[in-house]
Amino acid sequence: MNVRNIIPQDCVFGGTMRAVKREVLEKMKAELEKEIKGICQVYGTSYEADIRIHGGSVKNAPELLNGVKKSVADVLGKKSVYIIEEDNLGGENFAEYSSRVPAVYMFIGIKPEEKEAIPGLHSPEYQFDDTVLAGAAAAFANIAIHGCMGELKEN
C-alpha cells in the first residue's frame, strides 16, 4: 500500500554491502552505524543495528584453476573456458565456502554468440537458457571425476 502523510511507528532498513577485502567491509560497517546513530540523534529517536559481515569475496584456489580449466575444456572445448583471475563479488554464499576450503567459482555462459548482450541476472527481462544445463552437468561431472582421481590440484 502506498499512503501519503503517514508517519510510521517503526522503520526497517536492509541491504547488502560487498567488498573484496574484509577490512573494507569492517570500515563500511562502522561508518554505516555511525551514520545511523547520527541520523537518530538529530531526530531524537533510537535504533537497533544488526549489521553482519559474511565471507567477503570469492577467492579461487590457484592450485585448482588449471585442473578445473582442463576438465571443463575436455568436455566443452577450450573456447568455452574463461577464467576470472581476480577475486569476485558475485557469489556471496560461495565466498563463505571458498574462505574455508580450496574452491573454484564458475559461471555457466548462456549468452548466444549472435547477441552482443542479454539482460542481467537481476533484470525482470532475464531468461535462463535451459539448453546449457546438459553441458554444465557434464563439465561438473568431469571436474568431480578428475578431483576424485587427484588430477585437479597442482603441487
Side-chain angles (χ1 to χ4, degrees):
M1 183 185 328
N2 191 359
V3 181
R4 295 176 187 254
N5 203 23
I6 303 292
I7 300 171
Q9 179 68 32
D10 297 308
C11 173
V12 178
F13 173 77
T16 302
M17 296 185 296
R18 297 181 188 185
V20 172
K21 295 182 179 177
R22 188 168 187 88
E23 49 279 9
V24 172
L25 283 171
E26 295 285 351
K27 184 168 175 63
M28 290 167 65
K29 175 184 175 182
E31 290 296 321
L32 178 61
E33 189 151 11
K34 183 175 143 188
E35 291 297 322
I36 294 168
K37 184 177 181 180
I39 291 168
C40 288
Q41 284 176 341
V42 166
Y43 290 101
T45 188
S46 62
Y47 73 97
E48 291 178 34
D50 182 14
I51 304 170
R52 303 175 199 170
I53 293 180
H54 301 283
S57 63
V58 173
K59 294 181 183 353
N60 284 332
E63 70 274 15
L64 295 177
L65 281 176
N66 286 334
V68 168
K69 186 176 178 178
K70 182 183 180 322
S71 293
V72 174
D74 287 349
V75 175
L76 301 176
K78 285 184 180 182
K79 184 179 172 189
S80 297
V81 178
Y82 172 76
I83 300 292
I84 298 172
E85 300 290 339
E86 64 277 355
D87 295 347
N88 187 294
L89 296 174
E92 58 277 351
N93 292 336
F94 196 86
E96 189 64 33
Y97 308 138
S98 71
S99 73
R100 296 170 188 244
V101 297
V104 174
Y105 186 70
M106 300 186 323
F107 292 101
I108 300 171
I110 64 166
K111 183 184 73 62
E113 286 186 23
E114 68 274 6
K115 290 193 175 186
E116 194 169 307
I118 60 171
L121 180 62
H122 299 288
S123 166
E125 287 84 37
Y126 176 80
Q127 293 288 319
F128 184 79
D129 181 0
D130 293 3
T131 62
V132 303
L133 292 177
F140 284 123
N142 205 37
I143 291 167
I145 290 167
H146 287 185
C148 289
M149 295 171 64
E151 297 174 353
L152 288 182
K153 200 177 243 186
E154 291 183 357
N155 296 325

